[in-house]
Amino acid sequence: MQHLAIFPILLPMLAAVFMLLPPLSNSITRQRIFAVSIMLLLVTVSALLLLTSHQQGTQLYILGGWQPPFGITLVGDRLSTMMVLLTSVLGLCAQLYACAGEDKDGMYFHPLFMFQIMGVNGAFLTGDIFNLFVFFEVLLIASYALLIHGGGKQKTKMNVHYVILNLVGSSIFLFALGILYGTIGSLNIADMANKIRFLDEHEQALAKAGGLLLLVVFGLKAALLPLHFWLPKTYAAASAPVAALFAIMTKVGVYSILRVHTTIFGEDAGALASIAIPWLWPLALLTLTMGAIGVLASPSLRLTAANLVIVSVGTLMLAIAMQRESATSAALYYMMHTTLVTGALFLIADLISKQRGKAEDRYVIARKMRYGKFIGIAFFIAALTSVGMPPLSGFVGKILILQATQGLAETAWVWAVVLLAGLASMVAISRAGTTIFWRAAGENTNNEKISPLKIIAVVLLLSASPLLVVFGGAVTDYTNLAAAQLHNSVPTVTALLPGGNE
Amino acid sequence: MNLLWVVLLPLIGTLVPLFTERFGRNICTLSVALLPAWSLILVLMYAVDIFDGQAIRQTIEWIPAIGLDLSFRLDGLSLLFLLLILGIGLLVILYARYYLSAKDSMGHFYAYLILFMSAMVGIVISNNLIQLWMFWELTSISSFLLISFWSHKSEARKGARMALTVTGAGGLALLAGLLLIGNMVDSYDLDTVLASGDLIRSHAAYPVALVLVLLGAFTKSAQFPFHFWLPHAMSAPTPVSAYLHSATMVKAGIFLMARFYPALAGTDLWFMIVSLTGLITLLIGAYVALFKHDLKGLLAYSTISHLGLITLLLGLNSDLAAVAAVFHIINHAIFKASLFMAAGIIDHESGSRDMRKLNGLMKYMPYTATLAIVAALSMAGVPLLNGFLSKEMFFAETLNQSTLGSLSWMIPLLATVGAAFSVAYSLRFIHDVFFNGEPIDLPKTPKEPPRYMKVPVEILVGLCLLVGIFPAYVVGDLLHVASSAVLTHDVPVHSLAIWHGFNIPLFMSFLAMVGGATIYYNRRHLFQFQSQFDEPDAKHIFEGVVQSIVNASERIISALENGSLQRYIFLLLLFTLVMAGLPLLDLVQNTGSRPQIPLDGVTVTGAVLLVLSAIATVIWYRRRFLALIFLSVVGLMVSLIFAKFSAPDLALTQLSVEIVTIILLLLALFFLPQSTQKESTNRRLSGDLLISGLLGCVIGTICFAMLTTPLDTISDFFLANSKTGGGGTNVVNVILVDFRGFDTLGEITVLGIAALGIFKLIAKMRIYMPVRDDDGRAWSNDPHPMMLEMVSQSLLPLAILVSVYIFLRGHNVPGGGFIAGLITAVAIIQQYIAHGVQWIKPRIKIDYQWLIAGGILIATTTGLGSWIFDKPFLSTWFDHFNLPWIGEFELASAMLFDLGVYLTVVGSVMLILANLGKLTTSERFEMKEND
């Protein structure tokens, strides 16, 4: 399958388009069946792409036949294909959940959802920095539309903040691209990595500004302190399947920092090597701290989940700041784990919310839940995973990151902050859980059943956690190789540029 | 056979009760006991090898990346603990069968209990640090579930949370400690670690690692100052207390210290921390236990005290003391489990645990009372019972140390004081409960419990006696192998005799007995003395501390995350300023070497106009219509600049985008007030002005530096290959539809999504429609003037023609699908403006949503077409043809792609504008959601 690498982009895109046209556009049932089948197909294709890339080497897709660095190239290496598979799995679950009824709360849910997946997959797969901008736009604009899904004052208000901030972010992205193109003279990421060493001093200063502006843009997307303040309330306001899908959105920012600041501004970039790292260290530590404080302060499960997103971003950024293979590998493992469990947590918060009347998912005394047992078990698993308690995936990720610090001057900081953040999460989540599940007054009168689709979605997402531990050996082998591929950029870059110019 | 099964069997057993609960209590209990019993048999079969001095190992690779293997090791220490965990565990299962009431969910209870048992088994047979930690945390989790078993009770929830927090925090410290040790010896293999004691003790990080590991051990074993969680864990059902606080949970910390004894012990630091902590815990526990009126409270503090005793022994850095510690682990587990069970029976059969009410039970339950009395005497250290033996060894060891220099004599003295209190509270347990008059208003009349509920107690009390009378026969070998596993070298000679002659330890025992009796006899004075102190409730303090941390967090979050968009934007721009500004400090000169174009009047005028109109927009932003006019000037100037600097495509695009945007904004203005109040303070304004000014300067500097720097980019390739490779002379268009057609595909998707999103938003909107403007004037009665109708109607075909022309020529000269689409859209909008929605509706029946989808579909299909020719997506094709009368012309697949662009643009613009326009008419209520 020579076209395999472009499927994760074209498939959701065409699916979205078909759902805007009859006979799909006028029946939500048909859309659901179609969308779920497409997502299942996408999961299959993504897995196939990952396997192909893993076994046969990086899959390049040269659009329009224009060889790099001139045309746009898609790069399906171990890292990007892993992210695509992650997106597909998360997307499938979020979509299944939405099919239980939330997709009817507004128009175009399924097409927009597909466009969102397309944008995210595109951002992961592209090997061209302007194309990255385009896919950022695709995923952003789709997220603007998805965020207001369901309507209401809170969502609209949060959306205004989100849109305006991201519009400013997009402008900064363009500034950065202009500066980088104006100095390096290329847009292909591999080609830029090749050329950046040869800049003169004048150009270096400018390119540095460009590179750091990219850090701002990606930091905004990833919710890096001080650009994270918008996230908790925005995510908490989003409808559940959207919030669950958004668990991957911050990871796009994290991924972009990893890609750009390891490949272009990596260790081989001469004077411009590692320009972001001195900033990443303190910001990552502060992000993690703020996330933990946020978790402690959260009055509802959705906000807790949103603040856990910030905790995970801080942790990931720490791993990136370490700038070494073992840390990157740890980050990749942690990324899979945290994305899926956060998605699950948003869905669980919604299940809880629907069962507790006016109390919703807030930590106050309320009626007993009718399906407390299932939700309780699900919550328990999600809680253990996100707090990083064994035997679920959180602890492997945490240990990987702690071990990766070996020999670094910052070790004590990393350990202290990571472990204390874990403790804070544990305190907060055990309070949350005991209140939601055990502090009950009165019986539930709500007879509404939980849709089996919702149950499947939650179970699927949560099953990732034990699987990541049971098959931890294989998974970490893979992330090790992916990290090695990313860090040994010289062979990668050469491979990307068949006959490319110097 | 396989060591893995020792832990796997109980782990599988966790699920058993959930399935067998429905078959009744007896079957459930039996089935639950089955797998742990099997596991115990396995252990016993291994025991022969262990007594021969072997250790059995098994390793299965799991996650090598974190050094985690499934690695097991069964040696003397593990064997001892396994016997306690599984043996007492089985007794507790039997006991719980009678203890639990019909209301309690037996299935859940047993599931949690067995999970906990598996975790404990896992800890003691781990041969890998990470795996050990894994099971360690699992005990915290499962004990949380057990303690909170009666989850409707507030104190159960709080007690469980407190236990989880304290032991969980300790667990994290332990993790850090274990990782540090792993780093030191470069392996997480326990065998390797235990063999590298010297390396670890001489390592610079040894003190840190030691403290971290001990934090883990002390929190788990409820050592001072972390002891406060244990008494509150008593809100658990009594079988849980009997299990967790005798043989298992709290012993895990002791096990950890014993396990790492070869690697960590032997230094002065170890002595100072471990023995002093143990001593303090011993004293505090023993003292407080005396004043507890709650039976389980007394036993809880007594547990703390005895744990302190064992810790103290381990801290003494002497081989014999370690042996004594191991011995006391066994003895304490046995007598404390039986005491908790007896307390549970008393609670169960009399409805109270308050020793002020429970009196004279000897009369009502003589059999149980006898058992409890024997166990309590063992706890007091009375001869012929097992507690006496280890206490004697303990006294002897406190005499044999000198690390505190001239103050070393204080340790035996304080040990005797502790033992005296221990005797006193044991006496209280016996005298208050079983004698001392008649019961005082108990909820029910006490009676003997069901026959089999007593069996576990009988077995344990029997063991107390057996060990006490025939120590060498009963536990001699076990003690020997366990001690040798702790010491990893030969066990020193020790005698397990009951009688060692008249010596100082015996004298100390005697003193403790007499002292204890005296204390108990004079207890009224002591109680009076104690009652003048407020008894702090750890639960409230703990909850208070947590609550204040939460409150502080809330304050921080609400101060920082105040929901102000202005603040977030300010931070974003500030960060941008720093990131873009700092590198410029290294930029020596901001003018590059590129020759500059001379200034001319027109350019200067244009630039000044641009700047002024931009500033004017900002100044009058509160008068919206005025601001919009200035904004359109900005747009116009930008398109002129594009035109001047040879970018006619951009100029055309910008111009048409400008028109569409202004119409859009005009429509939006209809719903908004014409002017807004001043909302920002002057201080905020000056701050904003400062940051935007600075940012402008920085970006301006960068721009200037960039523009004056000679540039070598891949653009040259595009210029050279546009005609030959892309079949067009308009490079901009060829880039858009060919070289970087994928970007364009993405961008039209963005446009399409934007339109869908806006429609989605306004379809749900029910906004206020103003009838008159701010000055009170009504809107015009004649919304569709005839002149406008006539002109626009005749303009329509012309405009369509123009867009077709622009579209067709796009590939070679300025134009293309995007611009053509905008022109068409503007022409159609004009019809809406001139004629109104009512008029258009029957005339234009296109669904704009289909137009968008169709456009993207055409563009994508064009790209997919290249697959037929085995070329990658979006490969283009073009050729030149010759037809009579028409002459030579070119056909390119790019034109089809451009058609997709065109349709998407028309569809998107129309979907937004037409529907926003509809909001202003009565049509708006007809907009329904398509599903």
Side-chain angles (χ1 to χ4, degrees), chain A residues 2 20 61 63-64 66 105 107-108 128 130-131 149 161 181-182 185 233 403 431 434 438-439 469, chain B residues 62 66 148 157 161 188 547 561 563 589 711 714-715 738 740 742-743 760 764 849 867 870 872-873:
Chain A
Q2 53 162 344
L20 290 170
Y61 195 80
L63 283 151
W66 295 106
D105 294 347
M107 303 171 74
Y108 302 134
D128 183 285
F130 188 80
N131 199 236
H149 182 74
H161 287 195
Y181 185 66
K233 287 186 184 123
Q403 284 176 343
R431 278 165 66 91
T434 47
W438 291 338
R439 272 185 74 195
V469 179
Chain B
W62 187 4
I66 55 171
S148 63
R157 295 196 299 265
R161 239 166 31 212
Y188 295 100
Q547 194 56 48
E561 242 177 72
Q589 75 189 99
L711 186 58
I714 51 170
S715 311
D738 195 344
R740 300 189 68 90
F742 197 52
D743 280 345
K760 182 185 172 77
K764 277 231 162 191
Q849 174 187 322
W867 287 7
D870 209 22
F873 187 67

Side-chain angles (χ1 to χ4, degrees), chain B residues 46 55 58 400 573 634 643 670 701 768 810 821 880:
Chain B
Y46 282 120
Q58 187 189 9
N400 288 338
L573 293 183
V634 175
F670 173 74
T701 311
Y768 168 69
H880 293 260

Side-chain angles (χ1 to χ4, degrees), chain A residues 136-201:
Chain A
F136 255 69
E137 290 304 297
V138 175
L139 69 90
L140 279 174
I141 201 112
S143 72
Y144 301 155
L146 279 176
L147 194 55
I148 47 156
H149 182 74
K153 195 178 159 197
Q154 185 64 11
K155 283 194 182 102
T156 314
K157 187 183 161 198
M158 283 304 130
N159 204 11
V160 169
H161 287 195
Y162 180 70
V163 170
I164 294 178
L165 275 168
N166 278 299
L167 285 181
V168 176
S170 295
S171 325
I172 300 171
F173 202 162
L174 275 184
F175 286 169
L177 291 185
I179 296 170
L180 290 177
Y181 185 66
T183 45
I184 306 176
S186 186
L187 294 170
N188 180 298
I189 293 177
D191 191 41
M192 290 169 81
N194 249 350
K195 286 180 175 160
I196 196 158
R197 272 165 286 172
F198 306 111
L199 297 185
D200 63 30
E201 235 171 90

Side-chain angles (χ1 to χ4, degrees), chain A residues 5-6 17 83-84 96 115 123 134 208 347 349 369 393 407 415 455:
Chain A
I6 200 172
V17 166
M83 297 307 294
V84 167
L96 281 173
F115 279 130
V134 172
K208 187 172 179 186
L347 297 184
M369 275 181 277
S393 55
W415 285 29
I455 294 179

Side-chain angles (χ1 to χ4, degrees), chain B residues 22 83-84 159 257 281 316 349 352 386 478 568 579 686 720 820-821:
Chain B
R22 68 194 73 158
L83 293 177
L84 291 177
M257 285 188 272
T281 313
L316 289 176
E349 302 304 326
S352 172
N386 60 351
L478 185 61
Y568 301 166
M579 288 297 149
S686 44

